[in-house]
């Protein structure tokens, strides 16, 4: 008989290579056919609920890496909670209304003007649902477990009806009003925008310092004095209605040699501005407190008939400019607010496309606003009002979709009042736990500082504002009319608003004193898409009886502090007086390998499907686990290749474990903990501690720490220690002997633990592992997380083994030196003489373990430290001397033994191996052994 046949070599059909791109898809089909998600929900009935509410991605195009990071992170949470004693249903959602879909249809050649509004909206709906299906397949391919057959979609009639009801409750509380205020206006989209639809870029604008002549100085200033104002938007000067200064600043009235006129500038900025203007020999005639100049009147530089009021405002700073700010209430929020206090007109002579109107004056009429900058500068120069023109670099708002700059423009819009419920919202935010913690302050400050929410949009693809108008223009939005509209939408969809006349949308027999003739019209604007997704707490959480409101958790990108986190908080507090979520996790953005934002135009995007086709979804999932998603995350193909190496380590560890428990049946072969060999008891406790750490990390959503601990456990605790020793037990010892079964008991427990703990992360791989285990559950996903046990004396045992590991580390250093000196090759060629203190000797003895075997050497002598020779390697309490082991190599156990040939009938092997062969392979005694 060949010696090799007497070894218990590990065997398994679990493949070394996962062939993930192919096998994952096959496995996902099996999950779907077997309704694994539904079975998991059934198993968890009656357990405490944990609801992660999905912030809906926008339904347009295939998913990108940011989508993947977001959905996979959520999947980690939902899967882990489902295996940790919670009922954790997950309803994915999609945002399906808004301008991008209208734009996509335009790109496809759809002529909106050639269609009725209802027909165009139907095409938008069809396109949106196609995109939902496309993204749903993308998400499913990532292995996301969810209620895919019943997601929430914001175009769903039931969802739209709930959104209308949210609007109705806010209207009933007096939180909805119409006003003419400056809003973010996108001339490229021809629509108002919400704050969340605006992004900022650095731009260079023409700025102007110019004088506005005082015509009524109120006894404080002479009439030949000029207020030196500053603006970075000269095109808005036609809308100027006043000058804003600060009550607390001191202002100087000055003259300089080149001009007999008097000028007013903030005293603190005088020296800097005089140098900038090139003024020489500047004389200060007097100083005046800002508060003394209130209500002084100046003349508009372009319209002699228009008087400008000097006003006091708290937004004036001395960071730049002159301390006097050109104020146009129709073109800015601060301007509007201060203008309202002083009763100014809201004048905004610019149209929806960004062109100035006839009201701006003959020179400006029909000019695009950017071109109007130069017109203003030329007119100021011609009237000798321009003091200095210069380029000014600053941050400026852009439309996040068209990437074009926007303007502030006063138009009639519908608003949701934030101001009336601001304190309630701030209190609700304080009740929420944020991860990272700074998120709470960020959302708090955004709500504290934000204005009222403009909720109307001049588009057609969205949920209509359910408002009627009477004959005298009175807006009608009563509980009765809004509920009637909600019911119509719930039954027919929101297209009914655009298909029917107002009279057909009102309750039968509805009358109003404002319409004596019974005639009504309807609002044509739609609601902001952030009102859509911001109503999901009612459209989803409060509407599905198996979900909970508020949600236990939301997890989205950090941009959602001004998006969904923000809008849903406002509407939830407005409707029910509470936050829509209990916890918030925010994540950073995915950037390219150089830290740049990914964009198709730059050609630096990495599409998840491309990675899946090349490496598999498991690699993306493991990458998400490894990333610090609380900050921006860089990603490149190199990142995935690096993670693929970690995946190989995990997979190979599973393979090694499975191969070495192939003949182990836990029902028949399991060894009780108290009967385990010492080293196996230690490893069982280590595995138990590892389990506790991983479960704690799942509970706190610390995924990156899970990655680190998994890799450490696999490489340090298993590969570099226990599995290294295991070969000398599993392969060598009697097949059914206590020592081997003891170790297999722990190896089997470890592979089951690892499979369960990694199922939320690598479900395709762990389900493959599961097929080789003797576990009762049909799928790993239907199992529960491993229990954390407590063992008597485990703390002391871990301390002693920790001490041993330090001693072992010292021995390995000496073995490495001996290897470098060519004394030995493999560690089995060594005899180790270990010189230790009495204390360490006692600790090693207390382990009751085969220390030699744990060191993986052929011979070990443990001796008193005072007997150590001078040339021993000194490690303080331990000294080590390496010698070449004497004897012959046993071809079966590979150790150098002095008793090779002691059994005359089995002369090739050592006495221990001969004893094992006699027990397991008695026929070998008669046949004899051969290499």
């Amino acid at each position: 008989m060949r010696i090799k046949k007497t070894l218990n070599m590990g065997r398994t059909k679990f493949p070394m290579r996962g062939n993930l791109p192919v096998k994952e898809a096959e496995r996902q089909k099996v999950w779907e056919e077997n309704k694994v998600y539904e079975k998991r929900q059934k198993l968890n009935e009656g357990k405490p609920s944990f609801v992660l509410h999905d912030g809906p991605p926008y339904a347009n195009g295939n998913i990108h890496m940011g989508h993947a990071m977001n959905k996979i992170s959520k999947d980690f949470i939902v899967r882990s909670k489902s295996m940790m004693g919670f009922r954790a249903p997950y309803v994915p959602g999609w945002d399906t209304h808004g301008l991008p879909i209208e734009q996509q249809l335009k790109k496809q050649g759809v002529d909106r003007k050639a269609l009725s509004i209802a027909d165009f909206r139907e095409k938008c709906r069809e396109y949106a649902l196609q995109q939902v299906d496309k993204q749903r397949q993308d998400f499913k391919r990532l292995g996301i477990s969810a209620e895919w057959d019943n997601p929430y979609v914001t175009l769903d009639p039931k969802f739209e009806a709930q959104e209308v009801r949210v609007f109705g409750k806010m209207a009933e509380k007096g939180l909805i009003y119409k006003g003419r205020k400056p809003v973010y206006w996108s001339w490229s989209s021809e629509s108002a925008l919400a704050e969340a639809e605006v992004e900022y870029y650095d731009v260079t604008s023409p700025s102007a310092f110019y004088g506005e002549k005082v015509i009524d100085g109120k006894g404080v200033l002479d009439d030949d004095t000029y207020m030196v104002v500053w603006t970075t938007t000269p095109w808005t000067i036609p809308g100027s209605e006043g000058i804003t200064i600060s009550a607390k600043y001191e202002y100087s009235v000055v003259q300089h040699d080149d001009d007999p006129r008097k000028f007013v500038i903030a005293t603190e900025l005088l020296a800097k501005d005089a140098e900038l203007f090139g003024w020489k020999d500047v004389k200060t005639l007097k100083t005046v407190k800002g508060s003394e100049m209130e209500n002084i009147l100046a003349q508009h530089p372009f319209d002699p008939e228009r008087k400008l009021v000097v006003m006091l405002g708290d937004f004036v700073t001395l960071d730049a400019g002159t301390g006097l700010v050109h104020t146009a209430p129709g073109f800015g929020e601060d301007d509007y607010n201060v203008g309202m206090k002083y009763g100014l007109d809201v004048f905004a002579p610019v149209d929806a496309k960004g062109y100035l109107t006839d009201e701006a004056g003959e020179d400006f009429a029909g000019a695009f606003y950017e071109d109007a900058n130069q017109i203003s500068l030329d007119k100021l120069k011609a009237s000798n009002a321009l003091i200095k023109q210069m380029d000014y670099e600053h941050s400026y708002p852009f439309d996040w979709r068209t990437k074009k700059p926007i303007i502030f423009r006063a138009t009639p819009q519908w608003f949701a009042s934030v101001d009336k419920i601001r304190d309630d919202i701030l209190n609700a935010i304080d009740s929420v736990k944020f991860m990272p913690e700074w998120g709470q302050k960020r959302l708090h400050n955004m709500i504290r500082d934000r204005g009222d929410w403009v909720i109307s949009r001049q588009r057609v693809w969205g949920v209509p504002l359910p408002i009627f108008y009477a004959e005298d223009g009175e807006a009608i939005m009563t509980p009765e009319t809004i509920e009637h509209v909600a019911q119509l939408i719930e039954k027919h969809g929101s297209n009914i608003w655009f298909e029917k006349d107002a009279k057909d949308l009102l309750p039968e027999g509805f009358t109003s004193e404002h319409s004596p003739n019974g005639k009504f019209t309807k609002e044509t604007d739609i609601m902001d898409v952030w009102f859509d997704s911001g109503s999901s707490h009612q459209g989803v959480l409060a509407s599905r009886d198996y979900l909970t409101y508020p949600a236990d958790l939301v997890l989205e990108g950090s941009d959602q502090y001004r998006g969904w986190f923000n809008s849903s908080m406002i509407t939830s507090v407005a409707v029910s007086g509470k936050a829509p979520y209990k916890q918030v996790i925010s994540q950073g953005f995915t950037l390219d390998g150089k830290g740049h934002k990914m964009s198709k135009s730059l050609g630096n995007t990495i599409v998840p499907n491309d990675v899946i086709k090349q490496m598999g979804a498991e690699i993306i999932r493991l990458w998400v686990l490894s990333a610090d998603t609380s900050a921006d995350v860089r990603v490149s193909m190199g990142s995935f290749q690096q993670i693929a190496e970690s995946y190989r380590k995990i997979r190979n560890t599973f393979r090694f474990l499975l191969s070495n428990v192939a003949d182990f049946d836990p029902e028949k072969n399991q060894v009780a903990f108290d009967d385990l060999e010492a080293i196996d008891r230690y490893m069982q406790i280590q595995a138990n501690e590892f389990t506790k750490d991983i479960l704690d990390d799942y509970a706190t959503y610390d995924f990156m720490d899970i990655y680190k601990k998994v890799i450490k456990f696999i490489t340090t605790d298993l590969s570099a220690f226990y599995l290294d020793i295991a070969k000398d037990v599993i392969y060598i010892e009697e097949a059914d002997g206590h020592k081997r079964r003891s170790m297999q008991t722990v190896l089997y427990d470890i592979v089951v633990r690892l499979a369960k703990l990694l199922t939320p992360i690598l479900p395709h791989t762990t389900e493959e592992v599961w097929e080789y285990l003797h576990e009762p559950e049909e799928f790993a996903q239907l199992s529960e997380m491993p229990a954390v046990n407590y063992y008597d004396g485990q703390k002391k045992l871990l301390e002693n083994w920790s001490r041993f590991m330090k001693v072992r580390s010292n021995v390995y250093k000496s073995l490495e030196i001996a290897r470098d000196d060519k004394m030995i090759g493999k560690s089995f060629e060594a005899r180790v003489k270990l010189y230790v203190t009495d204390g360490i000797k006692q600790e090693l003895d207390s382990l009751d373990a085969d220390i030699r075997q744990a060191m993986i050497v052929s011979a070990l002598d443990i001796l008193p430290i005072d007997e150590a020779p001078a040339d021993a390697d000194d490690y303080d309490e331990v000294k080590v001397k390496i010698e070449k082991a004497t004897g012959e190599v046993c071809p079966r156990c590979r150790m150098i033994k002095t008793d090779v040939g002691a059994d005359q009938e089995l002369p090739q092997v050592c006495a221990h191996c001969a004893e094992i062969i006699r027990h397991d392979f008695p026929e070998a005694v008669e046949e004899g052994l051969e290499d």
Side-chain angles (χ1 to χ4, degrees), residues 800-818:
N800 289 345
W801 276 96
S802 176
R803 184 65 150 196
F804 163 76
M805 297 304 280
K806 289 178 183 175
V807 172
R808 179 176 176 268
S809 176
N810 293 332
V811 170
Y812 273 44
K813 287 175 189 174
S814 293
L815 287 170
E816 196 59 40
I817 293 169

Side-chain angles (χ1 to χ4, degrees), residues 208-235:
F209 296 85
Y210 60 97
E212 294 184 317
K213 186 180 180 182
V214 173
I215 54 176
D216 182 356
K218 305 293 183 185
V220 178
L221 298 178
D222 296 335
D223 288 355
D224 61 346
T225 304
Y226 288 77
M227 313 292 278
V228 182
V229 298
W230 178 58
T231 181
T232 59
T233 53
W235 71 270

Side-chain angles (χ1 to χ4, degrees), residues 22-73:
V22 174
K23 295 296 183 183
E24 286 172 345
E26 293 174 359
R27 201 162 288 280
Q28 288 167 8
K29 188 178 178 185
V30 171
W31 298 346
E32 198 164 340
E33 289 170 351
N34 284 271
K35 297 188 177 299
V36 173
Y37 172 82
E38 290 79 5
K39 286 179 179 177
R40 181 73 258 184
Q41 299 310 307
K42 187 75 176 171
L43 274 175
N44 290 345
E45 283 180 359
K47 295 178 181 178
S49 293
F50 181 91
V51 174
L52 190 160
H53 183 35
D54 193 31
Y58 195 77
N60 189 17
N62 289 100
I63 67 169
H64 53 64
M65 202 54 74
H67 287 124
M69 185 171 83
N70 174 275
K71 275 291 195 290
I72 290 170
S73 298

